[in-house]
Amino acid sequence: MKGWMGKTKALLLFTMLSLFLTACGKENLTALVPKGYGAESSMNLIILTTLIMVGVFVVVMIIYVIALVRFRRKKGQEDFIPKQVEGNHTLETVWTIIPIVLVLIMGVPTVIATFDLADTSNASENINIEVTGNQYWWHFNYDGEEIVTSQDLYIPTGERVYLNMQSSDVIHSFWVPSISGKMDVSPENVNTMYIEAFEEGVYWGKCAELCGPSHSLMDFKVIAVSPEEYDQWLSDMQAVDPEQEPQDTVAQEGKELFEANNCMACHAIGSSPAATGPNLTNFGDRTTIAGILEPTKENLIDWIMDPESIKPGNKMTGAYPSVSEEEANSIAEYLLQLKPSEITPESAGN
Amino acid sequence: MSNAATQKRAFSAVLWDYLTTVDHKKVGILYLMGGGFFFLLGGLEALIIRIQLIKPENDFITAGLYNEMITMHGTTMIFLAATPLLFGLMNYIMPLQIGARDVAFPFLNALGFWLFFSGGILLNCSWFLGGAPDAGWTAYAPLSIQSPGHGTDFYVMGLQLSGAGTLMSGINFLVTIVAMRAPGMTYMRMPLFTWTTFVTSVLTLFAFPALTVGLFLLMFDRMFGSAFFDVALGGNSVIWQHLFWIFGHPEVYILILPVFGVFSEVLPTFSKKRLFGYSAMVFATFLIAFLGFMVWAHHMFTVGLGPVANSIFAVATMAIAVPTGIKIFNWLFTMWGGSIVINSAMLWALAFIPSFTIGGMTGVMLGSNVADYQYHDSYFVVAHFHYVIVGGVVFGLFAACHYWWPKMFGRILHEGMGKLAFWTFFIGFHLTFFIQHFLGLMGMPRRYWVFLENQGLDTGNLISTIGAFFMTIGTIVFLINIVYTAVKGEKAPADPWDARTLEWTIPSPPPFYNFKQMPLVRGLDPLWIEKTEGNGKMTPAEPLDEIHMPNGSILPLIMTAGFFIASFGFIYQTDHKAWLIALYAGMAIAIGCMVIRSLKDDLGFHISKEELEREAD
């Protein structure tokens, strides 16, 4: 009997635990398992407000259920006329004062956290990165480092990184749920926020403001590596020689095609700050192709040959002469060999 | 043969009657039919959205069409379904509740309806003319300015037309309540539904002009080369967000306050008890309306307005929980000690309390702006506003339909089908939207055409879609119920629910002049007072005499047609200047109608005393 009980209990516990874990969503995407400073601030308030609100809900439901059960009309009560109560001043006062107190309990920490997260007074002493939102990709320019990347944002753990964000077209919103809440990236002015990742990892980022047909495909990654690895990455990236020739002939051909088709008009390799198209300096280390596809050669060939079928409304479609599959293969080979650094998403435990 | 001919004549006569009517009851029914039609359309769009999201990386519809779907779903449900359905109820019921024979400006009332309806039709014409608007129902610039084709132009003109109609109705209701109450119907004796109509009309009066201004600026940017929202030319797109939400947040209360009124009628009636804390309820309504204008920027917490603005709007937002809490507790204590009957109308009201409380709770949680940095533009927000608008407004509309159907159409909706519709819709609603709170926090932003595989979002989305099908079934059962009731439904007496307010003192459906003699109101819940302290009948406040009634008119319809034609002129003159002809011709028709209306005396007609005496009591 007892063994059976114990087993049931263990099973129950296990089910609850797995339910809880799946209910929290995918690690490094969900806001429910915060792994950064902003996400943690938000989570604290989410927990506080949820607890208070669930408390209110329970009180409402208790009164509701008792009223329904006790005062539901029973057989033979058809002619019963209840006492016509006008109201009750004491009760009215109680349910006015208590919510005011609850609002204060939630309001004060909210205001404190608001000013904390908006505090950018130390920005100049920290890493600053210019973030540009574009339909439908992200551009990252590391201030003072002569490093430009796109889609994958490398940051060191345990350090505040200030993002100065602006859009080149419509409004986007920068959201990495596990690390931080979101902030809009608008064409109007520069919005500054800071992010800080507590532990290494590859975190999913999303665009959270409707920006056109491929709004849902504007994913990016934040790759948090240890400060040492970050320094290594910086020096590797700074050492890139854009003119370096690939080793094998296919990639060599790819590089020629890349130049012949004028891909460089939009796609810089090296530290050019222009943000016409995604910078491809470390393309071979990217976690994805076009932000959403597995980084395989087949996917890259598909993307080069027909980007419209993958990201509707993207700006690359029709911007270059059509290429044959063989040509696309060579370009893909070349691009996937662009691996300037030993620090890759794997370094962050991907 | 001859029979068929009379029937045909009768049909065209009815049609003509409705096209020219200025009777608030018929205008109300037109609103309900128009709003109902758009509700089904918006529901269909919702279903398509949910089917697209049934599995990861689905390709049921294209990305472009998906954005059109979400834009039209939101726009349709807010402007063309919820608002007109509520305005229909207010139109029909409010004058009856205050003992009036019509609204203050019957002609304007009809014009308001036709403008709303033509605006809705205009907006939906876009589906067939190159594509619907696709920048979201919020139409944020610069996306809405860059949106290709004419979709957003239809959005601008359609909303401008229907918005003008709504604004007119708001003014009309205000004047009606101020000026046309029956003898003895003081402000603090008005039923709560009339009170909420009053406050809603005040909100409409102040909120819609902000939308009108925003739409005009957008219209000039898109059609006449101005650059109010164009950053490159020195404009500012955040202005649109401010204008939109200065309108948009009060709009939420324009929707929810009337149904607060509905529940404040339904709960006392079926608890057989007067509304607990009447004056607190009235006060809370005003407080919600006032605070409703102070919180718009909580829709913009992530815009980067700075910590001071964010903090102020956060605390103001949370403060709305106080008057809303007052309302919830007063409803609970209305039930407390009562004799509660549970029928279809009451079921919707009872389901409203927990459902809306959840919506209100998440509202407070969203008010904490630091938490909102995570919730904002995620499925958490989608869940929140559907709990408020479906769990509040739609539940309220269903409750109101069951409650007032006998009054409006003389027949009682079928109880069995009513309950079946309730349970399927109620379960479907929670299945669809509860899980979305978690989807949002698990990292699913709203307005996503697809979600990728392996992101832990599959199960939640599947459940949500299953729920949507349950809601569809519930809606279909309700439609069948309407048809069944029209054919075979139980005939309703004047007061089928043993209710408390003035509309139940006259026959179901009411005669076109409503009250043969103005009733004398002796207190709150006048019918209940007469039932418990008098002979159950209202004492007339005037001797039986001729009644002055307004004439019907086709002018509102023609005037609206003029605006409708002119709208096409506005939209297409950017392609070809020949369309300016449509613009001028349409405006000429509309202004011509105004001139005729102003110059031609229409003194209405009188119902003679003899005719009234002939009518049986």
Side-chain angles (χ1 to χ4, degrees):
Chain A
M1 185 73 183
K2 206 170 179 189
W4 175 79
M5 286 265 287
K7 264 182 203 159
T8 319
K9 255 188 195 163
L11 195 69
L12 205 71
L13 205 71
F14 178 75
T15 334
M16 297 248 302
L17 199 71
S18 56
L19 256 177
F20 177 74
L21 284 177
T22 49
C24 281
K26 180 108 176 150
E27 205 186 5
N28 291 358
L29 169 61
T30 172
L32 292 167
V33 188
K35 291 186 173 168
Y37 188 81
E40 196 177 61
S41 294
S42 295
M43 194 62 192
N44 290 340
L45 276 157
I46 291 173
I47 291 171
L48 174 74
T49 49
T50 307
L51 286 178
I52 292 176
M53 286 298 123
V54 169
V56 172
F57 186 70
V58 168
V59 172
V60 167
M61 287 318 286
I62 288 173
I63 302 173
Y64 175 83
V65 170
I66 295 177
L68 259 188
V69 173
R70 259 184 73 187
F71 301 107
R72 187 165 178 185
R73 188 180 299 174
K74 295 171 190 72
K75 276 231 154 58
Q77 283 185 335
E78 283 75 13
D79 297 328
F80 166 68
I81 306 237
K83 191 164 166 240
Q84 303 293 308
V85 188
E86 221 173 280
N88 185 315
H89 279 296
T90 324
L91 281 176
E92 299 282 357
T93 316
V94 168
W95 61 57
T96 307
I97 301 290
I98 293 179
I100 291 177
V101 173
L102 294 181
V103 166
L104 286 177
I105 296 175
M106 293 182 288
V108 172
T110 296
V111 174
I112 294 171
T114 305
F115 279 88
D116 177 37
L117 289 183
D119 178 18
T120 52
S121 54
N122 291 328
S124 55
E125 295 149 33
N126 285 283
I127 301 168
N128 278 265
I129 300 171
E130 265 173 48
V131 175
T132 311
N134 307 275
Q135 284 168 325
Y136 303 94
W137 58 278
W138 299 87
H139 173 86
F140 307 113
N141 185 358
Y142 289 68
D143 269 9
E145 305 284 1
E146 302 216 329
I147 293 175
V148 177
T149 66
S150 62
Q151 301 296 58
D152 287 356
L153 175 66
Y154 284 82
I155 60 166
T157 54
E159 226 176 291
R160 286 191 180 180
V161 177
Y162 287 78
L163 306 176
N164 305 305
M165 310 190 291
Q166 192 162 16
S167 165
S168 70
D169 36 51
V170 299
I171 304 172
H172 305 279
S173 194
F174 183 95
W175 188 29
V176 191
S178 304
I179 306 245
S180 175
K182 58 189 78 64
M183 188 174 248
D184 288 2
V185 179
S186 84
E188 231 80 66
N189 48 319
V190 175
N191 269 343
T192 301
M193 75 185 284
Y194 62 80
I195 55 173
E196 180 185 340
F198 294 145
E199 47 187 275
E200 293 187 22
V202 175
Y203 302 95
W204 292 80
K206 303 262 178 193
C207 174
E209 181 66 59
L210 180 63
C211 57
S214 283
H215 166 52
S216 59
L217 304 173
M218 204 176 144
D219 286 12
F220 61 99
K221 297 284 175 6
V222 170
I223 298 164
V225 292
S226 70
E228 300 75 42
E229 286 170 322
Y230 178 73
D231 289 338
Q232 167 78 42
W233 181 79
L234 286 182
S235 54
D236 287 349
M237 287 295 283
Q238 280 157 345
V240 168
D241 172 17
E243 298 304 317
Q244 192 188 5
E245 296 295 321
Q247 304 297 320
D248 59 294
T249 48
V250 182
Q252 180 66 43
E253 222 177 274
K255 184 167 189 277
E256 279 156 20
L257 282 164
F258 188 81
E259 283 157 13
N261 282 310
N262 210 15
C263 301
M264 290 135 94
C266 301
H267 296 287
I269 295 172
S271 61
S272 158
T276 325
N279 184 296
L280 303 178
T281 309
N282 60 347
F283 191 83
D285 289 334
R286 289 264 197 90
T287 52
T288 54
I289 285 162
I292 45 172
L293 302 174
E294 288 286 313
T296 63
K297 198 167 158 190
E298 292 71 39
N299 281 339
L300 182 54
I301 293 170
D302 289 347
W303 170 247
I304 293 171
M305 291 188 65
D306 185 12
E308 190 64 17
S309 69
I310 292 163
K311 262 187 168 174
N314 76 80
K315 300 280 168 71
M316 186 159 105
T317 303
Y320 54 97
S322 73
V323 288
S324 69
E325 187 161 355
E326 200 185 338
E327 289 170 323
N329 179 58
S330 304
I331 298 172
E333 184 62 41
Y334 165 59
L335 292 177
L336 289 171
Q337 283 184 17
L338 298 171
K339 293 168 178 252
S341 176
E342 281 165 23
I343 309 303
T344 62
E346 279 76 36
S347 318
N350 191 29
Chain B
M1 176 78 191
S2 67
N3 200 5
T6 30
Q7 263 184 0
K8 204 177 169 195
R9 243 198 325 275
F11 175 74
S12 60
V14 170
L15 185 67
W16 180 252
D17 187 22
Y18 271 89
L19 292 179
T20 59
T21 189
V22 294
D23 178 355
H24 75 97
K25 297 182 289 302
K26 285 181 182 148
V27 173
I29 288 171
L30 284 173
Y31 262 115
L32 290 177
M33 291 198 303
F37 167 72
F38 287 120
F39 179 76
L40 296 179
L41 207 59
L44 187 67
E45 285 151 6
L47 200 61
I48 292 171
I49 293 170
R50 277 316 324 165
I51 292 173
Q52 167 63 20
L53 296 176
I54 196 168
K55 61 175 183 165
E57 296 175 42
N58 199 1
D59 57 355
F60 178 66
I61 55 174
T62 63
L65 186 59
Y66 182 83
N67 284 356
E68 294 175 23
M69 260 333 141
I70 55 158
T71 304
M72 287 301 280
H73 167 69
T75 312
T76 302
M77 283 305 197
I78 298 284
F79 293 100
L80 308 179
T83 314
L85 283 169
L86 291 165
F87 273 59
L89 281 176
M90 294 184 210
N91 236 312
Y92 200 109
I93 302 299
M94 179 273 289
L96 303 182
Q97 283 197 327
I98 60 171
R101 293 211 170 97
D102 206 324
V103 290
F105 308 116
F107 182 93
L108 200 64
N109 199 18
L111 180 62
F113 165 76
W114 289 112
L115 283 175
F116 137 68
F117 190 69
S118 68
I121 296 294
L122 181 70
L123 182 55
N124 277 284
C125 281
S126 62
W127 285 118
F128 309 103
L129 298 169
D134 59 358
W137 83 281
T138 49
Y140 274 17
L143 186 64
S144 56
I145 290 176
Q146 294 175 7
S147 167
H150 284 299
T152 306
D153 301 331
F154 277 99
Y155 170 93
V156 170
M157 297 313 296
L159 290 193
Q160 204 66 287
L161 272 191
S162 74
T166 309
L167 186 60
M168 281 176 198
S169 306
I171 295 169
N172 208 347
F173 294 150
L174 272 182
V175 180
T176 307
I177 294 173
V178 171
M180 296 179 68
R181 282 164 291 126
M185 178 62 83
T186 61
Y187 279 105
M188 289 312 273
R189 287 176 182 175
M190 294 196 313
L192 243 284
F193 182 69
T194 299
W195 260 122
T196 54
T197 302
F198 182 84
V199 177
T200 301
S201 304
V202 175
L203 286 175
T204 308
L205 187 60
F206 288 106
F208 268 78
L211 176 71
T212 308
V213 170
L215 288 173
F216 265 122
L217 300 184
L218 187 57
M219 176 179 159
F220 276 85
D221 269 17
R222 281 190 65 96
M223 298 174 201
F224 300 106
S226 66
F228 294 106
F229 305 126
D230 189 340
V231 188
L233 295 171
N236 186 317
S237 65
V238 178
I239 300 288
W240 166 266
Q241 298 186 32
H242 280 294
L243 284 171
F244 188 86
W245 288 117
I246 287 172
F247 148 77
H249 198 79
E251 168 69 17
V252 176
Y253 296 101
I254 289 173
L255 298 181
I256 201 69
L257 289 180
V259 305
F260 282 178
V262 170
F263 295 120
S264 302
E265 305 290 318
V266 172
L267 287 165
T269 299
F270 297 113
S271 301
K272 266 207 162 182
K273 221 172 131 252
R274 66 174 272 165
L275 186 68
F276 193 89
Y278 172 87
S279 36
M281 288 297 245
V282 174
F283 177 70
T285 309
F286 271 98
L287 202 57
I288 292 175
F290 177 75
L291 288 173
F293 274 104
M294 305 290 151
V295 297
W296 79 88
H298 69 210
H299 298 269
M300 302 166 63
F301 277 151
T302 65
V303 166
L305 299 177
V308 177
N310 278 2
S311 300
I312 292 170
F313 281 100
V315 176
T317 302
M318 293 182 194
I320 294 192
V322 178
T324 314
I326 293 175
K327 283 194 168 271
I328 296 277
F329 284 109
N330 277 305
W331 285 319
L332 290 176
F333 278 80
T334 302
M335 286 157 58
W336 193 275
S339 173
I340 301 170
V341 181
I342 299 183
N343 55 20
S344 303
M346 188 64 169
L347 268 179
W348 287 106
L350 289 174
F352 155 82
I353 292 179
S355 308
F356 182 80
T357 306
I358 293 174
M361 282 160 50
T362 50
V364 176
M365 291 160 66
L366 280 156
S368 170
N369 59 310
V370 173
D372 180 76
Y373 298 158
Q374 292 286 16
Y375 303 138
H376 187 86
D377 263 341
S378 79
Y379 259 78
F380 189 91
V381 175
V382 177
H384 158 72
F385 65 68
H386 282 94
Y387 263 85
V388 174
I389 295 197
V390 182
V393 181
V394 176
F395 282 20
L397 285 167
F398 277 119
C401 278
H402 278 278
Y403 184 61
W404 279 312
W405 203 270
K407 184 50 62 191
M408 294 190 285
F409 300 101
R411 287 169 190 270
I412 299 173
L413 284 170
H414 188 265
E415 266 300 303
M417 271 189 271
K419 284 181 176 152
L420 180 64
F422 166 77
W423 283 111
T424 39
F425 195 94
F426 176 76
I427 292 168
F429 162 69
H430 284 283
L431 266 184
T432 309
F433 296 111
F434 193 75
I435 193 87
Q436 291 184 357
H437 294 114
F438 297 94
L439 280 175
L441 285 169
M442 282 151 70
M444 180 154 169
R446 72 192 276 209
R447 294 166 165 174
Y448 261 32
W449 163 55
V450 288
F451 56 96
L452 304 181
E453 273 168 351
N454 273 326
Q455 299 204 339
L457 305 171
D458 307 13
T459 322
N461 275 297
L462 177 64
I463 293 173
S464 189
T465 300
I466 294 171
F469 279 98
F470 274 90
M471 290 167 79
T472 311
I473 296 170
T475 311
I476 291 170
V477 174
F478 185 77
L479 288 179
I480 297 172
N481 194 355
I482 291 177
V483 175
Y484 174 87
T485 305
V487 181
K488 283 183 152 177
E490 185 191 337
K491 286 252 186 335
D495 177 20
W497 311 123
D498 193 10
R500 316 170 73 88
T501 42
L502 274 185
E503 75 268 31
W504 305 104
T505 63
I506 52 176
S508 307
F512 67 100
Y513 46 81
N514 294 354
F515 295 89
K516 199 177 274 183
Q517 291 162 289
M518 285 287 111
L520 180 69
V521 176
R522 298 201 287 154
L524 180 67
D525 294 344
L527 176 59
W528 184 258
I529 292 179
E530 300 304 333
K531 280 197 271 201
T532 50
E533 294 167 22
N535 63 355
K537 285 204 161 92
M538 299 306 297
T539 318
E542 58 177 12
L544 187 63
D545 204 354
E546 310 193 306
I547 298 175
H548 179 215
M549 297 299 289
N551 281 323
S553 169
I554 192 73
L555 283 181
L557 183 59
I558 299 177
M559 202 189 289
T560 305
F563 284 122
F564 189 75
I565 295 166
S567 301
F568 276 97
F570 274 112
I571 293 169
Y572 284 105
Q573 51 82 26
T574 53
D575 294 348
H576 197 288
K577 289 296 162 211
W579 279 94
L580 286 172
I581 298 169
L583 199 166
Y584 293 130
M587 290 310 276
I589 294 172
I591 293 170
C593 287
M594 289 180 201
V595 172
I596 294 173
R597 167 71 181 163
S598 305
L599 297 182
K600 202 179 128 222
D601 281 334
D602 182 0
L603 300 174
F605 67 98
H606 288 82
I607 314 167
S608 69
K609 206 168 147 184
E610 293 72 37
E611 206 178 317
L612 286 170
E613 273 165 351
R614 268 202 303 278
E615 304 252 342
D617 263 317

